[in-house]
Amino acid sequence: MRADRFPHTRPVWRPAMTLAAVLALGLLLGLAPGGGPAATARDGDPGGGSAVGSGGGGPPVPAVGRAWPVGSRPSVARGWEPPATAYGRGHRGVDLTAATGTPVRAVAPGRVSFAGPVAGRGVVSVELTGTGDPPLRTTYQPVTATLRKGTEVTAGEVVGVLEPPTSHCPMPCLHWGLRRGDTYLDPLSLLPPWLLTRGPSRLLPLTGIPQPGTTGLR
């Protein structure tokens, strides 16, 4: 058999995927280097976003909050932990301890910009009034929304109820996030000092009240 009857097949060159290509593909698929989904899926924010700041790199965060999202002074199960890099590990928000079914309230006046499920969890986002361009946006999850997108809300108005815990928290908790554009910020910076330091209400003894049968005059 003559060898020239079978033309030689040239080998196909398949270059190895470079690290840059792998990272780009991961970002397109919503994956973050270092493990876990990117910020969008991890924090349940429907708008995406990647950068993380403390507020010092852009306009300051105004303390426009007039109410906690749950309760009067909830315990912080996990605080704000900005990652070292945009897509690194961290905690882009705060987790507030609360029982399943607890009403979730808007911390400041604004407009509901999103209300619905994201990755199997209910999410409510509120765009805050008078907070610049782009405006600040708070996000609450897992929450079953009681208002529709576009609804105007006041500070302290109920926007939904807390759903049962997910894998994000070992116990029932509300994940509360804050963003300006694509930059995540510490949501506690929205609250003025009197809200941050206020403890549960207590009944104090009354003094100086006239007793029955007296005029209170000397």
Side-chain angles (χ1 to χ4, degrees), residues 52-114:
V52 180
S54 60
V61 176
V64 295
R66 293 297 178 265
W68 283 88
V70 288
S72 59
R73 182 57 176 91
S75 298
V76 178
R78 184 179 179 186
W80 164 252
E81 300 170 9
T85 61
Y87 295 99
R89 292 179 180 273
H91 193 228
R92 296 163 173 83
V94 296
D95 294 339
L96 304 176
T97 302
T100 300
T102 297
V104 177
R105 296 178 169 84
V107 300
R111 178 183 61 84
V112 177
S113 58
F114 181 87

Side-chain angles (χ1 to χ4, degrees), residues 78-177:
R78 184 179 179 186
W80 164 252
E81 300 170 9
T85 61
Y87 295 99
R89 292 179 180 273
H91 193 228
R92 296 163 173 83
V94 296
D95 294 339
L96 304 176
T97 302
T100 300
T102 297
V104 177
R105 296 178 169 84
V107 300
R111 178 183 61 84
V112 177
S113 58
F114 181 87
V118 175
R121 291 174 289 186
V123 177
V124 176
S125 294
V126 177
E127 194 173 272
L128 304 184
T129 303
T131 54
D133 185 18
L136 292 171
R137 183 167 70 249
T138 55
T139 301
Y140 314 98
Q141 61 116 338
V143 173
T144 299
T146 55
L147 299 177
R148 294 184 178 182
K149 177 180 177 180
T151 304
E152 300 287 337
V153 296
T154 58
E157 185 172 350
V158 175
V159 298
V161 294
L162 188 63
E163 296 178 351
T166 65
S167 58
H168 182 81
C169 280
M171 78 289 288
C173 80
L174 172 75
H175 179 82
W176 174 29

